[in-house]
């Protein structure tokens, strides 16, 4: 490469500071990997795009120390996802069934889903990297060229003043969206293609609306009919913009709607499908939007004992967005080529039926971050980075397909136009209400399918013979023996600030009396892994029912933690702003791993290996060295 250019040097160059790029930078910073983030926009866009985030997404925000903001000002729990059938415009119609998204059933300790305000989410993600030691965010910067050789990626970009700057990095990550520069201008000419996702050719255009609602009052709208019926402004808001998410399975025109963000934000999302023969741009115009949406905001007067229909005042609606979007289910054939990598929407796109866009990008980011940390830390020239990047996106493609299958099932329920299929669907779902066990299973949806479990392919960083590749559950915990225990999430103990190892050992004891033998088993593990595991950083957990014995509460620098109960969590600060736990299982870790005492957990919260004995632990430890060639 030419030497006259002043090439700034970093480990990782990230293009795009949306949720995925910012999440990646945050975890690289946490792992001590230098990175520069280039973002073409000067400011965070004020247009809320994604509005839903699942429990994985909450868990990964928690890992960056942002949990306090999740229910503080980012969003609120989406308590139900309702599926409403029939050709009508009544949002109060009883649902065919609903998904219980406020339940804690699952593997994270969090509610299943929140609605959020994306600009606020991005603000907090950026707060992690702005001014941090290892991350540098540069806004108003436009990437304009990429080159690479065997050791570096070279990129040029224009800064906010139009000056050309040059940076070289060990790797470049394109997190710049589905039309971003990295894939479109650099990787597609080299054979990387955005293809139809497996078993899916879903592609439709929808119009997405964001409205900000202002409450009518007796003073501002004295003629509004419901004041005489005793309704307050808040009552009116709840009547016309009901809580919870709604899939409107209307065969004439499928739609979805929900409040999002926090209650005080008074934000409402409505999306509707564009029918064949309709012009998407025209359907997003005000007069066509009114034709589709306003009937949902018009109630029959008989509902309130009135002779005239009641309409929500149009002048209380502020339009923030009205745009058509082409939704599809697509996935790149490769997410990495050479030293250039794609993640988030640049690598895959989802239809909008399960809120998986942002969450999937978060999963990409945390899974990629620790691999890049391993590769950049290694001094060995033998590290095969292409093998590890291929293993990363092969794992992620498996989870992508699982998420996509759930998304498409929702979409099929919403979009079906076949009257026979809809008749059978409606009666089958109605009948399930009379069988409590079936209704319960229906409400919990895919969470009953068990945790994500990767199918092993050569090169994947886990040991399939030792329960590797399974998503490690998170529960609540507290220090054993504490009189007034502070309740914590187990991730915050396992991956606590100050721990240096990427992989962590979790010790699952049946009682505190087993501590001595466990500590003996852990001796010497650090030497076996060339410093990639450290017994002194281990997390020791005992069941919630463990009786306190003062001599077993600590050992050296280690503290024993016991599983905490749902009631303890509900009384802690961690429960502020969210529903109290339901369907929570404090014994989940012990049930999942049964006789296994030692679980080696990767930074992306997947299990590398679960071991019953010291011999198995030693075998797993040697496997880490062999896998990454770190000797």
């Amino acid at each position: 490469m030419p030497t006259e250019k002043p090439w700034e040097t970093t480990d990782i160059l990230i293009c795009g500071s949306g949720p995925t790029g910012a999440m990646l930078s945050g975890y690289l910073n946490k792992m001590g990997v230098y990175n520069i983030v280039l973002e073409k926009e000067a400011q965070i866009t004020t247009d809320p795009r994604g509005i839903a985030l699942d429990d994985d997404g909450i868990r990964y925000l928690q890992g960056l120390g942002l949990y306090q903001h999740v229910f503080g000002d980012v969003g609120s729990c989406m308590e139900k996802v309702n599926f409403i059938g029939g050709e009508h415009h009544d949002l109060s119609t009883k649902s065919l069934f609903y998904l219980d998204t406020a339940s804690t059933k699952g593997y994270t300790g969090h509610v299943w889903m929140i609605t959020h305000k994306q600009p606020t989410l991005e603000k907090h993600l950026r707060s992690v990297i702005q001014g941090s030691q290892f991350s540098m965010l540069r806004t108003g910067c436009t990437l304009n060229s990429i080159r690479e050789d065997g050791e570096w990626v070279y990129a040029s970009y224009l800064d906010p003043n139009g000056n050309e700057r040059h940076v070289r990095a060990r790797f470049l990550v394109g997190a710049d969206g589905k039309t971003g520069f990295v894939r479109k201008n650099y990787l597609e000419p080299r054979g990387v293609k955005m293809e139809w996702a497996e078993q899916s050719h879903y592609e439709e255009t929808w119009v997405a609306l964001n409205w900000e609602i202002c409450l009518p009052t007796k003073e501002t709208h004295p003629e509004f009919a419901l004041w005489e019926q005793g309704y307050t402004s808040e009552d009116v808001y709840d009547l016309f913009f009901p809580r919870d998410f709604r899939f409107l399975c209307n065969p004439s025109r499928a739609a979805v709607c929900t409040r999002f963000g926090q209650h005080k934000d008074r934000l409402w999302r409505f999306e509707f499908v564009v029918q064949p023969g309709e012009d998407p741009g025209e359907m997003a115009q005000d007069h066509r939007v009114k034709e589709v949406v306003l009937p949902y905001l018009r109630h029959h007067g008989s509902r309130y004992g009135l002779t005239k229909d009641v309409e929500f005042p149009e002048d209380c609606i502020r339009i923030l967005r009205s745009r058509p979007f082409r939704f599809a289910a697509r996935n790149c054939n490769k997410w990495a080529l050479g030293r250039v990598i794609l993640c988030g929407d640049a690598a895959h796109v989802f239809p909008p039926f399960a809120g998986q866009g942002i969450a999937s990008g978060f999963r990409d980011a945390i899974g990629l971050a620790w691999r890049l940390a391993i590769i950049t830390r290694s001094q060995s020239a033998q590290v095969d980075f292409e093998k590890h990047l291929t293993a990363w996106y092969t794992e992620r493609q498996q989870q992508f397909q699982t998420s996509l299958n759930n998304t498409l099932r929702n979409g099929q329920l919403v979009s079906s136009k076949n009257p026979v299929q809809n008749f059978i669907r409606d009666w089958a779902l109605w009948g399930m209400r009379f069988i409590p066990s079936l209704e319960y299973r229906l409400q919990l949806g895919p969470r009953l399918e068990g945790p994500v479990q990767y199918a092993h392919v050569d090169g994947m960083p886990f040991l399939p013979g030792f329960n590797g590749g399974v998503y490690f559950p998170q529960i609540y915990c507290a220090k054993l023996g504490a009189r007034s225990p502070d309740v914590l999430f187990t991730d915050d103990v396992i991956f606590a600030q100050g721990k240096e190892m990427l992989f962590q050992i979790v010790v699952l004891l049946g009682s505190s009396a087993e501590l001595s033998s466990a500590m003996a088993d852990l001796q010497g593990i650090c030497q076996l892994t060339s410093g990639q595991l450290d017994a002194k950083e281990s997390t020791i957990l005992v069941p919630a029912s463990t009786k306190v014995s003062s001599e077993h509460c600590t050992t050296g620098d280690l503290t024993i933690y016991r599983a905490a109960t749902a009631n303890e969590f509900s009384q802690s600060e961690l429960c502020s702003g969210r529903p109290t736990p339901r369907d929570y299982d404090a014994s989940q870790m012990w049930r999942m791993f049964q006789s296994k005492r030692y679980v080696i957990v990767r930074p992306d919260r997947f299990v590398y290996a679960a071991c019953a004995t010291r011999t198995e632990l030693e075998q797993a430890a040697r496997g880490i060295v062999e896998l990454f060639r770190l000797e």
Side-chain angles (χ1 to χ4, degrees), residues 583-618:
D583 302 306
Y584 166 71
D585 182 4
S587 63
Q588 192 173 56
M589 291 181 180
W590 289 268
R591 285 194 306 99
M592 181 179 290
F593 298 104
Q594 297 181 359
S595 61
K596 305 294 187 179
R597 176 180 278 185
Y598 311 105
V599 185
I600 302 175
V601 185
R602 305 183 332 192
D604 56 0
R605 283 53 170 171
F606 279 83
V607 173
Y608 172 76
C611 310
T613 64
R614 177 182 173 87
T615 300
E616 290 183 355
L617 184 60
E618 290 177 348

Side-chain angles (χ1 to χ4, degrees), residues 36 102 171 174 225 240 323:
I36 295 173
F171 297 92
F240 286 90
R323 293 176 56 191

Side-chain angles (χ1 to χ4, degrees), residues 152-356:
W152 298 96
V153 181
Y154 302 84
S156 299
Y157 67 94
L158 299 179
D159 69 14
N161 297 318
N163 300 315
E164 188 172 57
R165 306 291 184 182
H166 310 283
V167 59
R168 67 174 187 172
R170 298 277 299 276
F171 297 92
L172 184 150
V173 180
D176 49 353
K178 58 186 177 182
T179 61
F181 182 94
V182 176
R183 193 187 81 240
K184 285 287 188 181
N185 292 66
Y186 185 74
L187 288 181
E188 284 189 0
R190 289 162 176 76
V192 173
K193 300 177 182 178
M194 182 72 85
E195 301 175 331
W196 291 110
E198 184 180 351
Q199 300 177 345
S200 168
H201 279 71
Y202 175 86
E203 187 170 28
E204 282 187 327
T205 299
W206 289 58
V207 171
L209 311 170
N210 286 339
W211 287 358
E212 184 179 48
I213 309 302
C214 173
L215 297 187
T217 68
K218 293 180 181 180
E219 291 72 29
T220 61
H221 296 79
E223 302 301 321
F224 188 63
L226 294 186
W227 306 140
E228 294 182 2
Q229 307 298 312
Y231 289 94
T232 67
S233 296
E234 285 287 348
D235 293 336
V236 171
Y237 180 57
D238 289 338
L239 286 168
F240 286 90
F241 302 94
R243 299 176 186 273
D244 304 328
F245 197 98
R246 279 161 169 75
F247 281 118
L248 305 174
C249 310
N250 188 330
S252 296
R253 189 185 298 275
V256 299
C257 65
T258 187
R259 299 182 190 181
F260 67 98
Q262 294 208 309
H263 179 77
K264 62 182 175 60
D265 296 324
R266 304 199 189 283
L267 298 173
W268 197 58
R269 166 67 62 86
F270 193 99
E271 297 178 0
F272 62 87
V273 70
V274 176
Q275 303 286 26
E278 294 178 338
D279 178 76
E282 181 187 356
M283 293 306 296
Q285 294 179 9
D286 188 56
H287 70 287
R288 297 307 302 271
V289 166
K290 288 182 178 180
E291 291 176 7
V292 175
V293 184
L294 290 188
Y296 289 98
L297 304 181
R298 184 181 305 120
H299 293 175
H300 290 296
S302 59
R303 176 174 175 178
Y304 308 103
L306 302 172
T307 57
K308 293 184 178 181
D309 290 349
V310 182
E311 299 182 3
F312 187 83
E314 286 187 44
D315 61 350
C316 289
I317 298 170
R318 179 187 171 211
I319 300 173
L320 303 179
R321 157 196 277 198
S322 181
R323 293 176 56 191
F325 287 87
R326 192 72 175 167
F327 291 120
R330 293 193 173 188
N331 175 27
C332 282
N333 57 334
K334 292 183 178 181
W335 297 11
L337 185 65
R339 292 182 176 272
V340 179
I341 306 162
L342 299 172
C343 63
D345 287 350
H348 48 73
V349 291
F350 280 90
F353 299 121
Q356 287 299 299

Side-chain angles (χ1 to χ4, degrees), residues 29-78:
N29 177 67
K30 188 179 177 72
M31 297 170 189
V33 179
Y34 288 99
N35 65 95
I36 295 173
V37 187
L38 302 180
E39 169 55 50
K40 66 179 181 180
E41 301 295 336
Q43 302 292 333
I44 295 173
T45 178
T46 58
D47 177 27
R49 289 155 290 167
I51 62 168
L53 189 67
D54 69 10
D55 56 338
D56 283 354
I58 300 171
R59 186 179 189 180
Y60 296 146
L61 288 172
Q62 171 203 328
L64 290 180
L66 296 175
Y67 176 78
Q68 68 193 67
H69 302 293
V70 171
F71 298 100
D73 63 344
V74 170
S76 57
C77 177
M78 181 195 299

